[in-house]
Structures are given as structure tokens and as C-alpha cells.
Amino acid sequence: MFSDLHYSIARELISCANKHELIAYKDLCEKINYGGVRKIGVYLDPISKFTYFHYGIFISSIVILKGTKKNGQGFIKMYRSVTGDYATPESDIEEAQREKVYEQDWSILIKEMQYSERDSMPPPKRNPSVTS
């Protein structure tokens, strides 16, 4: 599910989040040596959904259009389709998500992403005293 490029992106986003910084799509592409600015969303999408389902936060909310401090329309569409929230104004979504990104401890995100890829995940622990 996750490629080396996904992990490079995640590391860069974690670095920016830890410094409470935004990063432009173009700058992100340059930092990870990826030439497809218009296609970076394909890689951001699964990372963002992963962080949403594990943390309740879209880490890619800190990736912006250069010079605007606004997210791309792909981010907003993904946010709305995943959350079902079609009412909140875009600026409120961006602000709330970024606050959460900056507050979150991302120190184990990479390990969680790697763990999620393993073929044989351990079965959930069951309480033997509970019958189903």
C-alpha cells in the first residue's frame, strides 16, 4: 500500500508539523525529489486517509498552494467525501485541521504505516471471561 515515496512524504510532513510549518505542493515535491507536482495528490491521499482513520486528522492539511496558504481542491474534496461534512467553510476546515496537525505527536506514524502493511497482523486480544 505504501511506497518509499509515501514514506518520504510522510517524513517531510512530520518534520513540517513538528515545526508548525506549512509547505507548498511544489516545495514538498522538491524536498522529496519528485517531479510531478500535479500528481502528488495521488500519494498524499492515502497518507491523509491513514492519519484520519488513526488520529482523526488529515496531515496533508499543511500542504498548500504556493502563495495562498490554501489547500488544493483535491484536499477539500477528499475531506468532504471522507467526513461527510459538506457544510463547513473551507477556511474553517483548513484552520481546524492544521491546529490538530500541529498538536499531534507524530513520532510513531511511520511505524504505524509500516505495521499496517504487514500481511499477518496479530489477532485482536480477547478477554477469555467474555463469551460471545
Side-chain angles (χ1 to χ4, degrees):
M1 178 176 158
F2 295 114
S3 67
D4 288 343
L5 185 56
H6 287 105
Y7 290 113
S8 293
I9 293 168
R11 284 184 191 93
E12 191 58 41
L13 295 181
I14 291 166
S15 175
C16 290
N18 289 339
K19 295 182 273 185
H20 294 209
E21 293 178 349
L22 300 173
I23 186 167
Y25 290 97
K26 182 179 180 183
D27 296 338
L28 174 61
C29 289
E30 287 174 5
K31 287 193 177 215
I32 61 168
N33 296 315
Y34 180 71
V37 175
R38 294 186 186 267
K39 296 181 182 180
I40 193 71
V42 171
Y43 295 94
L44 285 167
D45 186 78
I47 297 167
S48 232
K49 288 177 180 171
F50 184 89
T51 62
Y52 178 74
F53 290 116
H54 285 79
Y55 297 91
I57 308 165
F58 294 96
I59 195 170
S60 66
S61 66
I62 62 173
V63 184
I64 58 167
L65 298 167
K66 195 163 190 111
T68 67
K69 295 190 177 180
K70 297 188 92 27
N71 294 112
Q73 284 303 304
F75 172 82
I76 298 299
K77 286 179 187 175
M78 181 216 35
Y79 175 91
R80 295 196 187 286
S81 71
V82 170
T83 64
D85 176 0
Y86 293 90
T88 304
E90 290 178 17
S91 59
D92 292 351
I93 293 168
E94 293 165 344
E95 184 179 334
Q97 285 296 304
R98 289 174 189 162
E99 275 183 34
K100 291 177 183 179
V101 166
Y102 296 147
E103 292 170 3
Q104 179 63 46
D105 176 3
W106 296 105
S107 61
I108 62 170
L109 175 59
I110 299 296
K111 287 183 182 180
E112 289 178 323
M113 290 169 66
Q114 292 166 337
Y115 187 77
S116 74
E117 291 192 291
R118 293 188 183 156
D119 292 337
S120 57
M121 305 253 305
K125 295 191 182 215
R126 295 183 55 124
N127 184 341
S129 64
V130 176
T131 57
S132 40

